[in-house]
Amino acid sequence: MTQISKRKVYQHPFLIMSSLYLGAFVGMFSETSLNIALPALSQYFDMPLSFMQWIVVSYMLVIGIILPLASFLMKNYSIRQLTLFSLICFLIGALISALSPNFVLLLVGRMIQGIGTGLILPMLFATSMEVFPIQKLGSAMGIASLIIMFAPAIGSTLAGILLGIGSWRLIFFAFAIILILAIICAYFFIESPFTLAQSKIDWISCILSALGFGGIILAFSNASEFSFQSIFVIIPLMIGLLALIFYTKRQLISKKPILNLKALQNKGFVIGTLLVMLNFGITLSSMYLLPQILQNALNLPVTLTGIIMLPGGIVNAVVSFISGKLNDQLGPKKLVVLGFILTTIGCLAFGQLNVQASIGYIIACHLLLMIGIPLAMSPAQSSALQALPKNLSTDGSTIINTLQQVLGAIATAITTCLLQFGSQQAIYPQANKNYMLGAHFGFYFALILAIIGLFLAFNVQTPDYMKKLKNKYQTAQIKNN
């Protein structure tokens, strides 16, 4: 049950959050923007396109290792210290990548960037829960979700434009410019809303966490390059699962766990978390497939690909903001259900694409997804976090973001494998038609995720404070009548 207690009033919550907003935007922008740049990177470094996937894999791998440690760090170091550290790491990594003369340095820069994103994402939601008034938490989570959802949606568009006017290095320089602004905002405005614990770090748990989450992400990332029967998938997956079992047992018996997994005993939190995971999986799958279809099946240039995806990115931002406002008024359940209905229709429509499809049809399908996905994301995340007591808020935020990234890696790997499998069937004499067949398989996978999410959406719980506000409003209406 959510604990309603006296909260500190912050005069300028948006200024406090500004650096985290900017940092999270760059982190999520970075997660999807390089998909469209991989062919250019492959050509520049004269390396196979499949090998260039490590630019994406290494980034997600480091995020998966760092994320589970974020809750412990938030309890022991101020948000200001952690935010500055995260942003500076990301800035250093972006500059290394931008200036890298070879692939190895580019990879090192990407891994350093992952440290920043792995810390910023859970801090964004945990801090939002504390600095905004409780009656505006839906709007606050809507803005946070806007950042998380808008950045991947707009990533391909911005990256395509930058590639069109210059080179792939401009993408990393763009990161650096935003990060410098974020560092300035963090230095002057950010406050730490949490009471620090100063507990000792459990290095065994840290190692198990790194092996567990890192192993699973590495296994599924390798699956897109090799196959699920490969030792490069089976071995890291087995290591990851075993480490995760021991990690879980250690957290449950520890008096001061690195990550308090008791949050998973809360039904409302679990349902909200599953919905966030599914929604994010759909996002990464569709944002990976759509640029590939436009360039490889429809043979459109990279700049036009980015422009086609622009309307969806704009609509995504608008709906993300509106869904937060509506969540404060209507509650999460109706919005999550409607969001997954629209997402299901969008995935089904994308599954009907062919090489003669008009640009208008593609934009319409994309708009359906870019309405449905953010309409469900913010209410699902806020309902999950608001189901937890205050002492589990940082743990809840870390758990959601960790599992979100894990499922994101799994969904991307499965989508990539389905795309490759379908493309290799050689049913049609034209290569682009076979590529479209592979894309159909990928979108049907996203459709399955959407249908599962739709069934779960009917079990979303309304936060206690909203029930109290509704009862108070009904009581006032009775008195007035």
Side-chain angles (χ1 to χ4, degrees):
M1 301 291 286
T2 305
Q3 293 180 350
I4 309 296
S5 57
K6 189 174 181 180
R7 296 163 60 94
K8 179 180 176 180
V9 177
Y10 294 88
Q11 296 299 318
H12 303 289
F14 286 105
L15 281 179
I16 293 172
M17 295 297 302
S18 59
S19 58
L20 289 172
Y21 288 152
L22 291 168
F25 175 83
V26 176
M28 297 307 297
F29 173 36
S30 178
E31 189 156 336
T32 57
S33 61
L34 287 185
N35 284 333
I36 202 170
L38 291 180
L41 288 166
S42 175
Q43 184 177 6
Y44 182 87
F45 290 109
D46 192 24
M47 301 179 76
L49 185 60
S50 60
F51 195 79
M52 298 309 300
Q53 291 286 346
W54 277 101
I55 300 296
V56 178
V57 172
S58 63
Y59 182 70
M60 296 183 70
L61 183 62
V62 174
I63 292 175
I65 291 172
I66 295 296
L67 260 172
L69 306 177
S71 178
F72 172 84
L73 294 172
M74 281 189 278
K75 294 172 185 175
N76 288 273
Y77 300 93
S78 74
I79 292 296
R80 186 175 187 272
Q81 290 174 315
L82 290 174
T83 302
L84 285 169
F85 173 77
S86 303
L87 294 172
I88 291 170
C89 278
F90 207 130
L91 177 60
I92 292 170
L95 291 175
I96 290 173
S97 294
L99 300 171
S100 58
N102 55 58
F103 177 75
V104 173
L105 273 180
L106 176 64
L107 197 62
V108 169
R110 284 295 284 168
M111 295 176 77
I112 296 173
Q113 291 167 48
I115 296 173
T117 302
L119 290 175
I120 286 172
L121 291 179
M123 286 195 292
L124 171 68
F125 289 99
T127 308
S128 293
M129 293 290 294
E130 296 299 319
V131 302
F132 285 95
I134 193 167
Q135 70 272 17
K136 294 184 178 180
L137 285 180
S139 298
M141 299 304 289
I143 295 170
S145 294
L146 184 157
I147 305 295
I148 298 301
M149 302 303 295
F150 178 60
I154 203 73
S156 295
T157 299
L158 294 179
I161 293 171
L162 291 171
L163 284 168
I165 63 176
S167 75
W168 57 268
R169 297 184 189 274
L170 288 181
I171 298 175
F172 295 104
F173 282 124
F175 297 165
I177 292 170
I178 301 172
L179 288 164
I180 290 170
L181 179 59
I183 290 170
I184 294 171
C185 291
Y187 184 82
F188 286 105
F189 303 129
I190 201 163
E191 296 181 40
S192 184
F194 303 111
T195 302
L196 302 184
Q198 298 301 324
S199 55
K200 292 183 179 180
I201 189 166
D202 180 0
W203 289 106
I204 295 177
S205 290
C206 290
I207 294 170
L208 290 173
S209 172
L211 290 173
F213 294 106
I216 291 172
I217 291 175
L218 180 62
F220 280 93
S221 298
N222 283 343
S224 61
E225 184 177 352
F226 303 102
S227 68
F228 283 99
Q229 293 82 25
S230 169
I231 59 170
F232 296 108
V233 174
I234 295 173
I235 291 177
L237 183 61
M238 290 179 62
I239 292 173
L241 291 174
L242 285 173
L244 206 55
I245 291 170
F246 286 114
Y247 171 80
T248 302
K249 292 180 68 174
R250 190 172 181 85
Q251 302 319 295
L252 292 174
I253 63 175
S254 174
K255 293 181 179 179
K256 292 185 178 180
I258 292 285
L259 184 61
N260 195 336
L261 299 180
K262 290 181 180 178
L264 294 172
Q265 296 174 349
N266 186 301
K267 181 181 177 181
F269 174 75
V270 171
I271 291 172
T273 300
L274 288 172
L275 288 167
V276 170
M277 292 168 63
L278 291 167
N279 219 357
F280 192 67
I282 296 167
T283 302
L284 290 192
S285 295
S286 59
M287 290 306 99
Y288 172 76
L289 286 170
L290 189 50
Q292 304 292 331
I293 291 173
L294 293 173
Q295 292 181 79
N296 298 315
L298 302 182
N299 299 316
L300 298 178
V302 63
T303 305
L304 182 57
T305 295
I307 293 172
I308 290 172
M309 297 181 72
L310 181 59
I314 295 171
V315 168
N316 181 294
V318 174
V319 175
S320 294
F321 181 75
I322 293 174
S323 69
K325 295 278 187 181
L326 291 175
N327 186 39
D328 287 330
Q329 300 171 10
L330 304 176
K333 187 172 183 178
K334 294 177 181 178
L335 297 175
V336 176
V337 170
L338 179 58
F340 272 99
I341 289 174
L342 293 175
T343 301
T344 301
I345 296 171
C347 291
L348 188 60
F350 263 128
Q352 310 307 309
L353 269 180
N354 57 57
V355 294
Q356 285 82 37
S358 67
I359 291 177
Y361 179 83
I362 294 171
I363 291 175
C365 294
H366 190 212
L367 287 176
L368 273 174
L369 284 185
M370 292 299 99
I371 295 173
I373 288 171
L375 195 62
M377 178 61 86
S378 169
Q381 184 130 8
S382 61
S383 70
L385 292 175
Q386 290 171 39
L388 294 174
K390 182 178 174 62
N391 65 303
L392 290 176
S393 61
T394 58
D395 298 287
S397 179
T398 300
I399 290 169
I400 287 178
N401 282 279
T402 301
L403 295 180
Q404 178 177 292
Q405 291 296 321
V406 169
L407 186 68
I410 293 172
T412 302
I414 293 175
T415 302
T416 304
C417 290
L418 290 171
L419 178 63
Q420 293 172 351
F421 173 76
S423 302
Q424 294 166 1
Q425 295 306 298
I427 294 176
Y428 305 103
Q430 299 94 340
N432 62 334
K433 285 188 176 183
N434 289 312
Y435 200 89
M436 186 65 80
L437 177 64
H440 287 170
F441 290 172
F443 276 116
Y444 287 141
F445 168 68
L447 176 64
I448 292 171
L449 296 183
I451 292 172
I452 295 171
L454 181 57
F455 279 107
L456 285 174
F458 289 98
N459 297 297
V460 170
Q461 298 182 4
T462 301
D464 286 348
Y465 84 90
M466 293 197 71
K467 294 178 183 177
K468 292 183 178 182
L469 289 175
K470 184 178 180 181
N471 291 335
K472 187 177 180 180
Y473 174 77
Q474 291 174 340
T475 303
Q477 287 288 91
I478 293 171
K479 287 182 179 180
N480 291 336
N481 294 332

